[in-house]
Amino acid sequence: QACVAVEEYSITKANSLTQQWQDIVEQFGDRPALIQGSERLSYAELNREIQEIQALNAGYKAGIVPLLLERNPHQIAFLMALLLDGIPFIPIDAESPKERLQLIAAHCGNPIHDANNLHLVRGEQQVIEPTLCYAIATSGTTGVPKLVGVKRSGYEAALLAWTKQYEITSEDRILQAASFSFDVFLGDLGRALFNGACMVLLDAYQRKDPQYMLDVIKSEGITLFETTPLVVRWWMQEKSLDIPNLRLLIVGSDSWKISEMKALIGMMPSQTKVISSYGLSETTIDNSFFTWRTEYHSNTVVPIGESMHHTSLSICTEEGKPLPDGMEGLLCIDGPCVGLGYYQAEGWSHSKGPWITADRGVKDEFGQFHFLGRADKQVKIRGQRLELNEVERIFSSIDSSMHWVA
């Protein structure tokens, strides 16, 4: 039996996404759901837009929709219409290169759909995996994006885990800055809109400006924000951070040091909790988080922490044999978070059981998991997956007389 089987989860099955949404709209209809600059959509207004899009596309059953999205509230309404109707989609940021769009369309068998067009176009691909919620286009060793499938039940379980462990309420105001092509965006969206909270959306230029983010966190009274070590390193050039309403700052998508986490906590208002998150697209966005502890040396890489409610982490061999605490191996992820794997001609690659990652890890004496690097040649740069084999191939195509090593 691979890794450690999870027999019981400490979460209660959530209502369907549709039922949750209906309850939210009924309870918080007049409250702001989405804000971008001077434009504001209440939950009732957002729901009306969603219903109009659903009516235009009633009965759509034609495979995965590669959805090209601009960063505005009305495009969010289109994505929500698909999500609530159970139409699987691939979120794609409008800034994505044209070559990448062509590769995604060819891989999934459907044309890229611009969310400015409210009518979905039926493509060649007619087969839909009934449990599929959405797919994320990640990097691949051949340069062709791989499609990672996430189950609807997995996304629902993640929503419940975030709500409970991050203590999210309708009073929260959540800043959204991640690219629409990254699954962190779907984390922001779910944490906000399925809790009656307000999501403040930055545009394509604002989301790349760390100083502007700070200004918006203060002016909009942001209470929860997920960002990367790159952004907080820029922030740490300041003497202190005047963001009094921020109660939870989540730092993820890349590694950082204990010394950096300690320095950041020292700059924050006393009521702000800083955590470091870890997760994979293959296992529904977030799987663990680390809360500050004093036992670690300042030069230690911040641990990935403890499992979230919808996840069970363990360490195993390549064959899936469990390893004891303190022994290095591969991180193994089990629970309702485990997705469908990768999209292939014959279907999705992962049907059941835990997900054995290519991330090397270890569990320490404090019960905290650590990321020790990759077992393959994949790296992350600013949260973006990169295959070193692909870098070598591209350089070799430029000058084959030399041997290139990345």
Side-chain angles (χ1 to χ4, degrees):
Q1 184 178 5
C3 300
V4 178
V6 180
E7 297 180 1
E8 219 173 326
Y9 303 111
S10 57
I11 60 173
T12 305
K13 179 173 174 56
N15 292 327
S16 69
L17 295 178
T18 302
Q19 185 59 55
Q20 287 185 65
W21 176 250
Q22 291 172 351
D23 293 344
I24 290 294
V25 173
E26 183 177 343
Q27 190 172 358
F28 303 111
D30 293 334
R31 289 197 181 189
L34 296 170
I35 293 177
Q36 187 178 52
S38 60
E39 185 170 15
R40 297 176 180 238
L41 280 183
S42 70
Y43 273 93
E45 291 168 334
L46 177 59
N47 190 53
R48 281 195 290 273
E49 288 198 19
I50 291 170
Q51 289 177 332
E52 290 172 3
I53 296 166
Q54 288 174 322
L56 289 171
N57 297 288
Y60 179 87
K61 300 284 183 185
I64 307 171
V65 178
L67 188 62
L68 191 67
L69 295 159
E70 296 174 7
R71 297 185 63 85
N72 68 61
H74 308 287
Q75 308 268 294
I76 298 289
F78 198 111
L79 183 143
M80 283 289 291
L82 301 191
L83 180 63
L84 294 171
D85 263 357
I87 300 173
F89 58 88
I90 305 167
I92 306 171
D93 200 292
E95 292 189 315
S96 301
K98 288 185 178 179
E99 181 184 21
R100 184 171 177 82
L101 299 182
Q102 293 168 352
L103 290 170
I104 293 172
H107 194 35
C108 77
N110 272 333
I112 299 294
H113 183 83
D114 188 329
N116 287 303
N117 177 7
L118 300 184
H119 292 269
L120 289 172
V121 178
R122 299 178 190 275
E124 300 173 2
Q125 179 57 260
Q126 302 295 320
V127 178
I128 299 178
E129 161 59 48
T131 64
L132 178 65
C133 182
Y134 66 84
I136 293 292
T138 70
S139 58
T141 54
T142 62
V144 177
K146 295 188 293 186
L147 297 183
V148 176
V150 170
K151 297 178 182 178
R152 196 170 183 85
S153 59
Y155 188 59
E156 290 171 349
L159 291 178
L160 189 57
W162 286 320
T163 299
K164 287 176 175 287
Q165 295 186 275
Y166 293 171
E167 299 178 335
I168 303 171
T169 73
S170 60
E171 299 301 318
D172 276 307
R173 295 172 69 85
I174 298 174
L175 183 62
Q176 202 294 305
S179 166
F180 282 2
S181 294
F182 287 178
D183 57 3
V184 173
F185 154 61
L186 295 173
D188 292 333
L189 179 142
R191 290 189 284 253
L193 299 187
F194 288 95
N195 282 295
C198 175
M199 188 167 81
V200 179
L201 187 65
L202 298 181
D203 69 25
Y205 301 100
Q206 296 164 350
R207 76 176 193 84
K208 299 174 184 177
D209 185 343
Q211 181 58 57
Y212 190 87
M213 291 179 194
L214 278 178
D215 294 343
V216 172
I217 289 172
K218 183 177 181 179
S219 63
E220 290 288 353
I222 298 299
T223 61
L224 189 156
F225 180 43
E226 179 165 359
T227 188
T228 65
L230 181 69
V231 170
V232 297
R233 287 180 185 126
W234 193 95
W235 287 357
M236 285 190 285
Q237 299 176 65
E238 304 290 319
K239 292 182 179 179
S240 62
L241 298 174
D242 183 20
I243 41 179
N245 294 302
L246 189 67
R247 66 169 187 84
L248 180 62
L249 177 64
I250 307 163
V251 182
S253 299
D254 212 341
S255 298
W256 57 321
K257 298 289 186 68
I258 283 289
S259 58
E260 294 177 307
M261 188 175 189
K262 182 178 181 181
L264 180 64
I265 291 171
M267 299 175 65
M268 287 289 174
S270 58
Q271 73 275 13
T272 304
K273 183 178 182 179
V274 177
I275 65 172
S276 185
S277 68
Y278 165 86
L280 303 178
S281 297
E282 294 86 345
T283 51
T284 319
I285 310 171
D286 286 339
N287 301 113
S288 67
F289 66 89
F290 174 77
T291 305
W292 175 254
R293 297 176 67 105
T294 60
E295 293 92 348
Y296 299 105
H297 187 274
S298 61
N299 206 37
T300 302
V301 173
V302 175
I304 62 175
E306 302 175 352
S307 302
M308 295 191 69
H309 285 338
H310 67 318
T311 299
S312 176
L313 286 180
S314 61
I315 304 296
C316 70
T317 65
E318 290 183 5
E319 295 76 29
K321 182 179 179 181
L323 293 173
D325 294 356
M327 184 172 288
E328 296 182 13
L330 297 179
L331 281 163
C332 177
I333 301 176
D334 202 357
C337 62
V338 177
L340 295 165
Y342 305 112
Y343 186 67
Q344 303 167 338
E346 62 274 16
W348 295 94
S349 66
H350 193 80
S351 58
K352 61 180 179 179
W355 184 262
I356 302 176
T357 76
D359 289 348
R360 295 186 298 110
V362 67
K363 185 178 182 181
D364 68 21
E365 65 270 33
F366 307 114
Q368 304 294 305
F369 286 88
H370 295 252
F371 170 71
L372 302 177
R374 294 282 294 182
D376 56 16
K377 296 193 71 175
Q378 188 181 93
V379 296
K380 265 191 177 182
I381 298 178
R382 299 181 180 179
Q384 178 69 53
R385 295 186 188 189
L386 186 68
E387 298 281 355
L388 296 182
N389 291 333
E390 179 65 9
V391 175
E392 294 169 353
R393 186 191 67 79
I394 291 172
F395 275 102
S396 295
S397 69
I398 297 171
D399 185 354
S400 59
S401 65
M402 299 183 68
H403 179 68
W404 298 92
V405 178

